[in-house]
Amino acid sequence: DACTLDGCEWAKGCKHKDIAPLCKDESVCTDDSCDPKQGCVYTFTTATCDDLSKCTANDQCTAGICTGAKVPTDDGNPCTNDSCTPLLGVVHEANTLPCDDGDKCTVDDSCLTAKCVAGLPRECTDSNACTDNGCNAQTGCIYEPNKDPCDDGSACTKDDTCADSKCAGAKIDCDD
């Protein structure tokens, strides 16, 4: 019997010591037993377990090893570097990378204390005197036509004004 330790002592006779209680491998992922022909037997289980890592969840025994699914680390914030360490778990460290604050009227936005902060104001200049320049946070630069007085650069026109984003004036009668 492979599950007993046999021995004889002088004048006391033969004794059998059961070794089945010694068949312990300290793994939660095995059922420990003793087979009279094989000795200690460790059968894999699919029990739930704890792999002692804060980077996994739903740990379960597979082929005698306790493993779990990796926990998601991405917090969706471009201003953090996301990682996981078995002892600490998920960590989101602030970074200073470029980002987009969602405002079309700013450029060169960057991360500060794990938040995206606005950069410089966007230059919305089209160099056209017949448009009023501005910016809309959702759509970006806007150039609205105006009706301001202007100079079309021609000596042959007078009373120049803006219309449809262009400067034009009335022709001067040059007939002498």
Side-chain angles (χ1 to χ4, degrees):
D1 185 345
C3 293
T4 62
L5 185 60
D6 302 324
C8 296
E9 292 183 25
W10 177 258
K12 291 188 179 180
C14 291
K15 298 198 179 207
H16 305 286
K17 182 177 181 181
D18 185 9
I19 65 163
L22 301 176
C23 292
K24 301 278 183 206
D25 67 357
E26 304 299 322
S27 172
V28 297
C29 291
T30 60
D31 284 332
D32 306 332
S33 62
C34 193
D35 179 272
K37 293 189 190 280
Q38 297 177 11
C40 293
V41 176
Y42 308 105
T43 307
F44 296 150
T45 70
T46 57
T48 59
C49 56
D50 184 357
D51 67 1
L52 303 177
S53 172
K54 291 185 178 182
C55 294
T56 60
N58 304 320
D59 300 340
Q60 188 168 359
C61 295
T62 304
I65 299 171
C66 183
T67 59
K70 289 183 179 181
V71 295
T73 58
D74 187 1
D75 63 359
N77 182 349
C79 292
T80 60
N81 296 330
D82 307 320
S83 63
C84 190
T85 61
L87 290 176
L88 298 175
V90 176
V91 178
H92 306 289
E93 291 184 57
N95 64 45
T96 56
L97 295 174
C99 59
D100 183 357
D101 69 353
D103 185 336
K104 302 261 187 201
C105 294
T106 62
V107 295
D108 299 329
D109 305 330
S110 62
C111 296
L112 179 66
T113 63
K115 290 186 171 96
C116 188
V117 294
L120 301 171
R122 180 174 300 279
E123 280 282 331
C124 290
T125 307
D126 65 356
S127 301
N128 183 346
C130 291
T131 59
D132 293 329
N133 304 323
C135 193
N136 178 295
Q138 284 79 34
T139 60
C141 293
I142 51 176
Y143 308 103
E144 295 287 328
N146 64 42
K147 296 183 187 239
D148 292 349
C150 59
D151 182 1
D152 67 3
S154 172
C156 296
T157 60
K158 65 179 181 173
D159 301 325
D160 299 341
T161 52
C162 295
D164 296 323
S165 302
K166 294 182 181 147
C167 184
K171 288 190 177 185
I172 298 174
D173 184 10
C174 294
D175 187 5
D176 62 347

